[in-house]
Amino acid sequence: MRYLIRSIKKFIIPSLILLLLLTAALTVFCFITVKNTAVCNRIEIWIEACDYVDFFLPLAVCLAFTPFFYFINRKGFLRYASVRAGRKRYLLTHFLAAAVCTVLVVLVAYYATLCISLNMTPETLVTENRLFDYVFGEYEVNHPYLFGLAWCFYKGVVATLFVLFGNLLALHTDNLFVSVLGPFVYCMAENLITSLLNLPMYSIMTTYVLNRLSPSCMHVHNYLIGCLTYIVITMAIILIIRRKKENVNVRN
């Protein structure tokens, strides 16, 4: 536990920067939405504002937490640390530290702006409440604070999948550009492919963007299938990259 806390401290600065940027962006979009969008419930202000930020979330979290793993590998510190603490233990501890920071940052940034939006006064209100048609619509309307807390935590967990993929790319590709952009590019490509196949409900983006698709398309299991598909495909990509790297090392 002491070593984990020390590892978390290494991510404090990027965590604070990411927290400020996410909170500021979400707050700005909340104020834009409340002025320009007709809503039936205050939580819709937050949902609409999140759409703009969610698009860049895979890139934002990787920009904050992936460079650390690239530089410790690039500069040979990982090899030195492996002798003292063991490579697996060292990496697992820092992976966990990055995951904890990711969840906390995403949770605090999104939930804080949810609380702000729930206390805003919309410019235009409509009587038709469309939220009840969605999977979690009843909770969104009747228990917005409790639902928001659970959803923000879940969004933070999904964000850790992006960070994990980026960190593994940093360790196996030795390319910071690929490592940071990899999860974001994957999300864009997967979103395009699932749309062309008429399967957008299984996209990883659909799993963390609230009410992204029409109510008839979404069910509770879609959120799990999207994440599982992402894990399987990204781990397969890492294994392929690792195998190719090992073959190159053997030849040299």
Side-chain angles (χ1 to χ4, degrees), residues 22 26 46-58 61 99 102-111 113-114 147-163 204-212 223 227:
L22 286 178
L26 287 165
W46 178 72
I47 294 173
E48 186 73 19
C50 289
D51 283 345
Y52 301 101
V53 180
D54 286 343
F55 181 83
F56 294 102
L57 184 61
V61 292
T102 302
V103 172
L104 288 176
V105 168
V106 172
L107 172 64
V108 173
Y110 278 86
Y111 191 71
T113 49
L114 169 64
F147 168 79
L149 184 62
W151 180 260
C152 292
F153 176 78
Y154 166 76
K155 191 188 289 280
V157 172
V158 175
T160 63
L161 299 180
F162 303 138
V163 173
I204 184 64
M205 291 192 69
T206 303
T207 64
Y208 73 91
V209 179
L210 186 60
N211 300 348
R212 180 173 182 243
Y223 294 97
C227 291

Side-chain angles (χ1 to χ4, degrees), residues 175-197:
N175 189 315
L176 183 59
F177 184 76
V178 171
S179 305
V180 171
L181 282 181
F184 178 70
V185 172
Y186 171 90
C187 289
M188 297 302 102
E190 187 218 47
N191 185 50
L192 175 61
I193 293 172
T194 52
S195 296
L196 292 175
L197 295 175

Side-chain angles (χ1 to χ4, degrees), residues 214-229:
S214 61
S216 60
C217 295
M218 289 301 295
H219 304 281
V220 175
H221 67 267
N222 292 131
Y223 294 97
L224 299 177
I225 293 176
C227 291
L228 290 175
T229 303

